[in-house]
Amino acid sequence: DRQTHTVPEDRAAQTALAAAKGLSNKIELANCHNSIGDARWYKGDHSKAIDAYRLAAGDAESAGFLVGVGIAHIGIGNVQADRHELDESIRSYLTALERLKYTEEFQQIARAYNNLGDTHRQKKCWDEALKCFAKSEENGGKGGWLNMVAWARFNSAMVLVEKGSLPEAEDLLQKSEASLAQIGDRTGLAGAKHAWGKLYAAQGKAVLMERAYSDAIEMYKALKTPFSEAECHYELGM
């Protein structure tokens, strides 16, 4: 989900930023500010992350760099989602998609749709979430991003469980997990285990449910993604 984007070291990004300022290169400035935003978001420094993303959006807009604008608004949406400011997050992802639709940056479009779908999932807007995950899978395929295709599938499976479509959810989960294992995507595999926990709970398979959630919790803990770890603890408790 929102943890898929590569996060650089803050110090390295700051060094690059100094060089970009010396060249007065707005595109590189936007790239650097986006990287700094990612690093600060990942560290949980939400206020400074949003400041960096807004600087990135401004530099990118002035340079006509639509991809940079889109990435910045995805970043802002990610921070807002982590703060559980879900309506604001949705607006940011939609702004990102508005800019990205004029590009062929299918991977970023897929990422924006996946994160938008995840936010709709948190709001329990199941049909909207499924539409977004389908768009994410479609654009991930166009961009050759197999990870995102697999993520879209297990995210769709989570929603289908909520809608009671259990056979369809299981089929998607099997396809997703097979791809993630082949790619070696540890974060994605944690998400798939989380989805299996939801499915087994809906099927009334208590032993398998507990095992899947326990695996997901340990994987999220190792990956240092506390929000997802907490979500699994809560669902397992329920």
Side-chain angles (χ1 to χ4, degrees):
D1 61 15
R2 295 184 299 275
Q3 298 290 349
T4 58
H5 194 47
T6 301
V7 179
E9 287 296 325
D10 199 357
R11 187 178 300 175
Q14 291 281 3
T15 302
L17 177 62
K21 284 180 177 176
L23 295 169
S24 299
N25 186 324
K26 292 283 189 178
I27 291 176
E28 288 307 317
L29 281 170
N31 286 334
C32 291
H33 283 304
N34 273 327
S35 295
I36 291 166
D38 287 345
R40 289 178 178 172
W41 164 54
Y42 193 73
K43 291 175 181 176
D45 193 346
H46 290 166
S47 179
K48 288 185 179 178
I50 284 185
D51 288 344
Y53 288 132
R54 284 177 176 156
L55 287 170
D59 286 330
E61 285 278 14
S62 65
F65 180 38
L66 295 179
V67 175
V69 180
I71 291 170
H73 285 287
I74 293 172
I76 292 169
N78 291 345
V79 175
Q80 291 165 331
D82 280 1
R83 289 173 164 180
H84 214 66
E85 297 167 354
L86 301 183
D87 291 335
E88 293 88 339
S89 176
I90 286 171
R91 284 194 289 271
S92 293
Y93 293 138
L94 290 174
T95 299
L97 287 165
E98 179 64 27
R99 299 299 193 279
L100 290 167
K101 75 180 182 181
Y102 299 108
T103 75
E104 292 189 353
E105 290 289 331
F106 298 116
Q107 291 192 1
Q108 292 300 335
I109 294 169
R111 181 174 167 239
Y113 272 120
N114 179 72
N115 297 1
L116 178 59
D118 190 60
T119 309
H120 281 304
R121 181 182 70 83
Q122 290 184 60
K123 285 174 65 70
K124 304 186 187 302
C125 299
W126 309 129
D127 291 337
E128 285 301 316
L130 282 175
K131 288 176 189 175
C132 290
F133 292 138
K135 289 281 190 181
S136 178
E137 182 177 350
E138 176 189 344
N139 283 281
K142 286 180 182 178
W145 196 4
L146 298 181
N147 301 61
M148 186 52 67
V149 171
W151 278 65
R153 285 175 175 170
F154 77 67
N155 279 327
S156 292
M158 286 191 181
V159 176
L160 288 167
V161 168
E162 299 289 351
K163 288 173 66 70
S165 302
L166 304 189
E168 190 179 352
E170 186 166 6
D171 180 59
L172 277 177
L173 262 180
Q174 288 171 346
K175 291 175 181 176
S176 174
E177 194 169 45
S179 297
L180 292 164
Q182 186 176 9
I183 296 164
D185 182 348
R186 294 186 303 147
T187 308
L189 284 167
K193 288 293 183 187
H194 185 173
W196 278 114
K198 283 180 175 288
L199 177 62
Y200 288 138
Q203 292 173 333
K205 298 177 179 178
V207 173
L208 292 175
M209 174 201 71
E210 187 166 359
R211 186 181 304 157
Y213 272 122
S214 296
D215 287 346
I217 287 165
E218 288 306 310
M219 295 167 83
Y220 282 137
K221 190 179 294 182
L223 292 161
K224 298 180 180 178
T225 53
F227 179 87
S228 298
E229 182 186 341
E231 191 176 16
C232 283
H233 277 295
Y234 174 78
E235 291 173 11
L236 177 57
M238 293 302 290

